Structures are given as C-alpha cells and as structure tokens.
Amino acid sequence: MTGRTIVLGLDGADWNFLEPWLDAGELPELQRLMETGVSGPLETVVPPSTVPAWPCMFTGLNPGHLGIAHFMMPAHNDPHSIRTVDYDDFNAPALWDMVADNGGDSVVANIPGTYPPPTTPQVTVSGMMTPSKSDSYTHPDSYCENIKGLETPYHIDRTLWGDNEEFLEDIYEMTDSRFELFDELLGHELDLFFGVISATDRIQHKLWDTHELCEYWSYLDDKIGEFVADLDESDTLLIVSDHGFGECRGSLYVNYWLKEQGWFQATGGRGSGSGGGNAVSNPILKVGLSRERIREMLYVLEIKDYIERLVPTRLQKIIPTKQEGETFDEALMKGHIDWDTTDCYALSPSGVYLEPDPGTERYRERREAVIEKFRHIDVPTEGVETHSWKPENLYNIEDV
C-alpha cells in the first residue's frame, strides 16, 4: 500500500443540522476538508441505528446478510432468550481482516460493536457495548495500561443520566481522551486506522437543539483540525457517519401496540410488562402527568433547560415515566413473557419477531396480519407515516 487509510467516524453526524453551522463559519476545519476533498450524504441501513450500521460499514454487508439488526438479538440456541449482540456474532470478514490478508496492519479504536475486541488488528480498543473497563476491552490485553496513562480520563461510553453540567464534563473528557488515544495509535506502523467519536451521538440525544450542542461541535471541529494536521500527505482520510439525527416528534411503543392486538403478553416480574404507556397505577400518571409530558410542557414554555439545571436529578426521578414499572423490553430481557400466548414481539428499532417457525403457514398468516394492522395505525403526529418491510425484500436475501 502507498500511504495509510484513515477512517474517522462521527456517530450520528448529519448534514441537516451541520450545514447551517458550516454556512455560518462555525466549523471551519470541516469546511476546509469539504472544499479540498469531496463530500456528500451516505445512505444508512434499515434500521438506522448505531448497531447494525457500524458493523455493516466495516463488513460491507447489509443487516440481512450480517444477521444483525439491533443491539439485542434472540440467542441462537434459544429464540426465547434475548441477549446483547457482540463482535463474535458478525460472521463475516471486517476491513481489518482484509487488510491482514493482504499483508497490512490495522488499529481499531472505539467502534461500537467491537467487543470482545477483534484480535486481527495490531491494536484494538473496543467501543460502545463494552461491559466495562474491568473487562478485557483491548487487544492485546496489556494495551489497557497505555490507556490508563492518557492525560485525560478515558470513558468507553456515557449514559444520558445526570445533570447537564456533569454530563458535558464527561462528554468533553470522552472527546479529549479519544483524540489522545488516536494520536498514540497513529504512531504505530499501520495501513488502516479506524476510530470513532461516539460523544457526538450522546450529546445530540441529551442536548439536541441547544447552544451547548453547537459549542461542542465547534470544539470538535478544532480537534478534527489538529487530528488532520498530524496526518501524512500520503494518507487518505475518510470522515464518515453511521446514521442521521433529527427531532423526535413522537414514539410508538410497538410491544404495547402488539399487546393491544392480543399478540404479545408479558407475565410476572415487578411490573408485568406494564411499561411502555400502559402503567396507570401511579396517581401522578392517573392525572395525565409523566416525566415526558412535563418535559414537553417545559419545552413549549422554553424553560426546559433552565428547570433541568435547577432541579436535582434525584428529584426529577420522583416523577414517573410513561414506562413506569418493568417495561416490555425489560420483560423480554428477563424472560418474563408468556410464550404460550405470545405470537410476536418487537426489539425496537430492529423490527417484529414472529413465532413460530418462518416456514409454517401460521407464521405467514400472522406476518400478513401484523403488516396489515400496522399499515392502518392512526398516527397522531402530522407528517409521520408508517411503513413495513419484509426482510427478504429489504435485504435481497431469502434466508433471513
């Protein structure tokens, strides 16, 4: 190979919200790269989620061929047991395997879905979905000592919980430590570098449409400029994203909807699957209030950010959510499902899984019934439509 291939991933980056900042001169480093190179939109996968999007990118396969459509999946030996997807589920060669087959070396850093860390690259630091730093999250194992030596504390990921001030502190630390790690890794002899910044996705989920988000992207733009300045002239740089981002105008709790149709039944557990909009035992919920509803009202009044900063998180949590109790997703994970009366269930956003075997007539009849019912859902949000896909058509594959 003549020169290195450098892939920098920005999780959840989207032209729709970046272009106004680019036009306003807020992101000069990205603007310069666009002017001196080529740019355009990448089409994501269905479902447009971090996993399977990153694994699809590094294997070149769509979710149907990859066999992964979500962070969670039914266990191979027990379809009624739901577990977290990991790297060993991707039964396909990745970019770094192809590089190795051609005598090259790679380093991989913080790509979602790379736990346990693949051993083909010279160095791997696993990304989102790594259980914790107490697990073996690097290859070789000893490389974790290099990470402990970074100037900035290293966070594999960051939840959305906590007050905004604490959250932002961690997001900036995540970003700084990522680039410190990238700088160290680029000192290795390599042909392929593939690293992902996941803090972009996290802050967009937490602080969408705020000045803090714009400030963060301006800061990130400076970091990208420093990163690019350290590359060699012979390097080929690709800056990519896994999926888009935008305003959420409503939610559909699919398992709750399936329950209403008589196709899904949770049983046992703390809340018997009463979450997802079905919980009314709490007196606050009975009068139509929930944490989500209150946030919506505060947003309309343009005081949401102010109140969230003012009221401690522990007090905010006193207000129940729509998903009070054990949610249907939690019931699935814990096995609290009446499989004798359940025909299908959803692992949002990956789709609906049907019982029994796909080859039976009952399966085909039930699938057509679900599609037909779903097609006629009354969506209260203006401009939102419902669509359904059969995997064999969507992914152009017969055995899905």
Side-chain angles (χ1 to χ4, degrees):
M1 297 183 181
T2 59
R4 306 175 300 179
T5 298
I6 310 296
V7 183
L8 177 63
L10 305 177
D11 202 299
D14 191 314
W15 292 116
N16 288 326
F17 70 83
L18 290 178
E19 282 181 342
W21 295 338
L22 287 162
D23 293 342
E26 300 283 353
L27 307 174
E29 297 299 334
L30 284 175
Q31 183 68 50
R32 182 182 60 80
L33 290 171
M34 292 169 61
E35 292 171 353
T36 57
V38 295
S39 62
L42 290 175
E43 183 176 353
T44 188
V45 297
V46 178
S49 179
T50 294
V51 172
W54 285 116
C56 287
M57 186 180 296
F58 63 65
T59 62
L61 299 180
N62 67 38
H65 287 83
L66 193 61
I68 302 296
H70 185 44
F71 296 99
M72 315 301 295
M73 67 179 292
H76 294 299
N77 60 347
D78 181 5
H80 293 167
S81 177
I82 312 301
R83 64 174 182 81
T84 303
V85 166
D86 63 38
Y87 184 76
D88 292 336
D89 292 311
F90 310 136
N91 189 24
L95 278 172
W96 37 91
D97 297 311
M98 302 173 199
V99 170
D101 288 344
N102 286 275
D105 287 316
S106 304
V107 295
V108 172
N110 199 51
I111 306 177
T114 52
Y115 178 86
T119 57
T120 303
Q122 183 183 152
V123 177
T124 303
V125 180
S126 60
M128 189 178 76
M129 298 170 67
T130 300
S132 74
K133 285 193 291 186
S134 62
D135 295 89
S136 179
Y137 70 103
T138 66
H139 166 75
D141 288 343
S142 59
Y143 192 77
C144 65
E145 296 301 320
N146 296 56
I147 294 178
K148 292 176 183 177
L150 295 176
E151 182 177 339
T152 306
Y154 189 85
H155 304 271
I156 295 175
D157 198 8
R158 176 55 161 93
T159 68
L160 303 182
W161 292 110
D163 61 68
N164 290 350
E165 184 177 350
E166 177 187 359
F167 175 81
L168 281 170
E169 181 180 334
D170 288 346
I171 287 297
Y172 280 94
E173 280 190 350
M174 279 180 65
T175 304
D176 289 343
S177 62
R178 284 296 178 275
F179 281 103
E180 288 178 31
L181 173 62
F182 293 172
D183 182 60
E184 200 280 331
L185 289 173
L186 285 171
H188 292 244
E189 291 292 329
L190 59 91
D191 301 283
L192 169 69
F193 169 92
F194 199 141
V196 172
I197 300 294
S198 53
T200 45
D201 179 87
R202 289 292 173 258
I203 190 171
Q204 287 160 198
H205 275 293
K206 176 83 167 177
L207 297 173
W208 180 254
D209 201 24
T210 64
H211 70 276
E212 287 94 346
L213 180 59
C214 182
E215 288 178 349
Y216 171 77
W217 268 93
S218 179
Y219 181 82
L220 177 62
D221 186 70
D222 289 339
K223 303 297 289 186
I224 292 173
E226 296 171 6
F227 176 81
V228 173
D230 288 335
L231 299 181
D232 300 332
E233 289 187 4
S234 60
D235 291 339
T236 299
L237 172 65
L238 304 173
I239 297 182
V240 297
S241 182
D242 54 339
H243 58 74
F245 223 92
E247 178 186 9
C248 179
R249 291 182 285 168
S251 298
L252 171 66
Y253 296 101
V254 181
N255 281 322
Y256 178 61
W257 177 77
L258 291 173
K259 181 178 183 295
E260 287 185 319
Q261 314 310 311
W263 293 331
F264 177 92
Q265 183 61 51
T267 182
R270 172 167 50 87
S272 298
S274 63
N278 195 36
V280 293
S281 58
N282 189 293
I284 298 178
L285 291 174
K286 283 184 177 180
V287 298
L289 292 178
S290 66
R291 200 179 307 167
E292 295 92 340
R293 179 57 180 156
I294 291 172
R295 283 174 175 168
E296 289 173 5
M297 292 187 291
L298 295 177
Y299 181 82
V300 171
L301 296 172
E302 298 184 348
I303 57 174
K304 172 178 169 290
D305 290 344
Y306 173 75
I307 295 298
E308 285 189 339
R309 288 187 178 90
L310 183 65
V311 180
T313 302
R314 65 180 184 279
L315 295 181
Q316 294 180 34
K317 291 181 179 179
I318 293 176
I319 307 297
T321 68
K322 292 178 183 178
Q323 294 182 328
E324 184 204 44
E326 182 178 73
T327 68
F328 289 138
D329 285 349
E330 291 172 336
L332 278 167
M333 290 296 296
K334 296 175 181 178
H336 298 161
I337 303 297
D338 184 351
W339 292 111
D340 291 334
T341 59
T342 291
D343 289 306
C344 48
Y345 62 91
L347 289 178
S348 181
S350 68
V352 176
Y353 292 74
L354 281 86
E355 300 276 320
D357 186 273
T360 66
E361 184 63 27
R362 182 187 173 199
Y363 171 89
R364 289 189 287 269
E365 291 176 355
R366 176 63 65 221
R367 184 166 74 159
E368 293 304 320
V370 171
I371 291 173
E372 183 62 23
K373 284 266 191 177
F374 187 73
R375 186 179 290 125
H376 294 97
I377 287 179
D378 182 20
V379 181
T381 306
E382 184 178 353
V384 175
E385 301 176 352
T386 59
H387 299 274
S388 59
W389 294 272
K390 296 178 180 179
E392 63 268 29
N393 299 331
L394 178 64
Y395 301 130
N396 191 28
I397 187 171
E398 292 184 5
D399 182 19
V400 180

